[in-house]
């Protein structure tokens, strides 16, 4: 069935570029895919005969698998290329790698890279859609969109809702993208954690910085936990993981500071017993696995919208 959705982007590089209307368009398409999935109508025809390349030059479980599932649910063929298995290890440039993929007639590239800005660069050197699956500490737009979609399912609307992001904000692309995305949807964002990982400079993004954990949790409608991103830290930002957990880990006692109906989120991977108590991660307040499931339909929506725009095809959705 054709829909009156409007979408004018070939690539998805950052939520910063999206208007609230564009974010809502992604969610309308994701809702249609979710309803179809729940009716066991999982496979859709919209990318039939197309080839989607997953170029993952940094480790990933959820994002890579969710993109693979999303592309395959849209009937595309998928190819996954990881850093260790590519000729990038032999000195080939990213530009040459990407242009070879386009020459092999790939129709879209999904890229994760340790360098901030790499997907943006790629989108300038190939004439096929490029989707950012996480670049350095810069942005993780599809994670922020699936997080907001999950919150909207819980709360209906985010205007005036208070969301606390707790953990390693400084090195987190998830935090940056969520701060931007949640505020575009009307939420108030507080960021919390040790001052070395939650610098005051983030207030320039509109978030409230809070180093008092009880204060940061008590008005939150949702708390989003982040792991410590050792892979991006070049110096020590707190004495030990044990001390981090004792000061900022979310445990059952601290969860009582939250409102009774507040939900617990985490983009994964979880470090159980560090930023979150294992029992809380598995409790009925946790929506962590719902986030993962929503990652499929939000990514189906993004692949579908970007490809339709690139080819000038009318947007169709499951009825
Ligand atoms: N949330 C997230 O990006 O997880 P992965 O690193 O496993 O993809």
């Amino acid at each position: 069935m054709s829909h009156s959705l409007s979408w004018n982007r070939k690539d998805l590089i950052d939520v910063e570029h999206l208007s609230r209307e564009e974010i809502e368009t992604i969610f309308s398409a994701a809702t249609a895919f979710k309803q179809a999935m729940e009716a066991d109508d999982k496979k859709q025809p919209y990318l039939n005969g197309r080839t989607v390349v997953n170029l993952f030059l940094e480790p990933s479980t959820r994002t890579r698998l969710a993109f693979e599932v999303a592309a395959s649910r849209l009937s595309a063929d998928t190819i996954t290329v990881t850093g260790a298995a590519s000729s990038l290890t032999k000195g080939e440039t990213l530009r040459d790698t990407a242009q070879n993929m386009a020459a092999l007639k790939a129709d879209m590239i999904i890229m994760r890279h340790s360098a901030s800005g790499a997907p943006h660069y790629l989108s300038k050197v190939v004439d096929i859609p490029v989707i950012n699956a996480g670049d350095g500490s810069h942005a993780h737009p599809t994670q922020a969109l699936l997080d907001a979609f999950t919150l909207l399912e819980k709360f209906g609307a985010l205007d005036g809702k208070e969301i606390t992001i707790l953990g390693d904000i400084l090195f987190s692309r998830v935090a940056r993208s969520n701060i931007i995305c949640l505020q575009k949807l009307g939420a108030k964002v507080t960021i919390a954690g040790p001052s070395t990982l939650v610098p005051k400079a983030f207030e320039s993004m509109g978030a409230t910085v809070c180093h008092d954990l009880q204060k940061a949790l008590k008005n939150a409608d949702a708390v989003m936990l982040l792991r410590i991103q050792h892979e991006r830290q070049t110096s020590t930002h707190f004495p030990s993981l044990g001390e981090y957990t004792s000061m900022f880990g979310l445990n059952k006692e601290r969860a009582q500071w939250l409102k009774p109906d507040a939900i617990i989120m985490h983009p994964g991977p979880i470090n159980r017993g560090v930023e979150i108590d294992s029992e809380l991660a598995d409790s009925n307040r946790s929506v962590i696995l719902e986030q993962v499931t929503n990652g499929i339909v939000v990514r189906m929506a993004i692949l579908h919208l970007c490809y339709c725009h690139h080819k000038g095809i009318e947007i169709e959705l499951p009825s």
Side-chain angles (χ1 to χ4, degrees):
M1 181 193 273
S2 92
H3 281 251
S4 56
L5 293 183
S6 158
W7 183 259
N8 296 309
R9 291 182 186 276
K10 167 177 92 67
D11 312 301
L12 186 79
I13 304 298
D14 196 346
V15 278
E16 195 171 3
H17 307 137
L18 301 179
S19 65
R20 182 170 179 154
E21 290 68 33
E22 287 177 300
I23 294 170
E24 287 167 354
T25 296
I26 294 170
F27 293 163
S28 295
T31 300
F33 288 127
K34 185 147 187 185
Q35 285 166 352
M37 187 170 81
E38 284 175 345
D40 212 20
D41 178 19
K42 288 184 181 168
K43 196 97 167 171
Q44 305 301 333
Y46 308 120
L47 291 182
N48 191 17
R50 306 295 120 207
T51 302
V52 173
V53 174
N54 268 310
L55 179 57
F56 272 66
L57 305 177
E58 244 196 2
S60 170
T61 297
R62 277 147 294 274
T63 311
R64 181 168 64 78
L65 292 179
F67 267 118
E68 281 181 20
V69 172
S72 113
R73 295 266 169 92
L74 290 167
S75 303
D77 298 316
T78 60
I79 299 170
T80 294
V81 182
T82 58
S86 79
S87 288
L88 285 156
T89 57
K90 301 179 201 163
E92 186 169 67
T93 63
L94 183 58
R95 179 192 185 110
D96 284 328
T97 300
Q99 287 181 334
N100 275 273
M101 285 172 182
L104 289 164
K105 302 300 171 196
D107 295 288
M108 302 182 89
I109 299 177
I110 296 155
M111 185 168 73
R112 170 167 289 193
H113 201 288
S114 58
S116 297
H120 174 74
Y121 169 74
L122 201 71
S123 70
K124 300 295 168 207
V125 298
V126 292
D127 185 32
I128 55 176
V130 173
I131 312 297
N132 182 4
D135 62 326
S137 55
H138 170 237
H140 196 344
T142 62
Q143 180 69 49
L145 289 163
L146 75 89
D147 290 341
F149 185 78
T150 305
L151 283 161
L152 281 166
E153 281 189 333
K154 295 289 162 198
F155 299 124
L158 296 189
D159 295 287
K161 291 288 177 200
E162 300 203 17
I163 316 296
T164 291
I165 309 176
L166 168 60
D168 175 359
I169 307 294
L170 184 59
F171 293 95
S172 174
R173 55 192 174 214
V174 175
R176 279 178 180 73
S177 287
N178 262 301
I179 290 168
I180 295 166
C181 186
L182 292 170
Q183 290 184 106
K184 280 183 192 258
L185 296 169
K188 295 181 193 161
V189 179
T190 296
I191 52 176
S195 55
T196 46
L197 294 176
V198 188
K200 275 273 176 201
F202 273 82
E203 287 192 334
S204 65
M205 294 180 74
T208 301
V209 170
C210 182
H211 300 126
D212 175 337
L213 187 54
Q214 186 164 5
K215 208 167 150 191
L217 294 180
K218 79 177 166 58
N219 293 321
D221 295 291
V223 59
M224 195 178 284
L225 300 163
L226 299 177
R227 73 185 170 89
I228 304 298
Q229 287 158 105
H230 301 286
E231 70 274 27
R232 292 193 203 108
Q233 297 184 5
T234 51
S235 60
T236 309
H237 289 76
F238 46 84
S240 70
L241 265 189
E243 282 175 80
Y244 176 84
T245 303
S246 72
M247 296 285 290
F248 292 101
L250 190 66
N251 54 31
K252 278 185 283 178
E253 292 69 42
R254 288 173 180 158
Q256 286 174 8
W257 296 337
L258 289 161
K259 293 196 245 181
D261 54 352
I263 60 171
I264 296 171
M265 307 179 78
H266 195 309
I270 299 173
N271 286 170
R272 287 176 184 263
V274 179
E275 71 273 11
I276 185 165
D277 181 90
S278 200
E279 246 183 86
L280 274 182
D282 299 329
S283 70
N284 57 12
R285 307 184 88 170
S286 161
V287 296
I288 295 170
L289 293 177
E290 288 173 53
Q291 291 171 260
V292 176
T293 304
N294 284 335
I296 300 170
V297 292
V298 167
R299 290 175 174 119
M300 286 174 82
I302 291 163
L303 294 176
H304 184 39
L305 292 171
C306 289
Y307 189 73
C308 282
H309 172 71
H310 176 57
K311 288 291 183 186
I313 303 168
E314 196 175 351
I315 298 164
E316 292 192 13
L317 291 172
S319 45

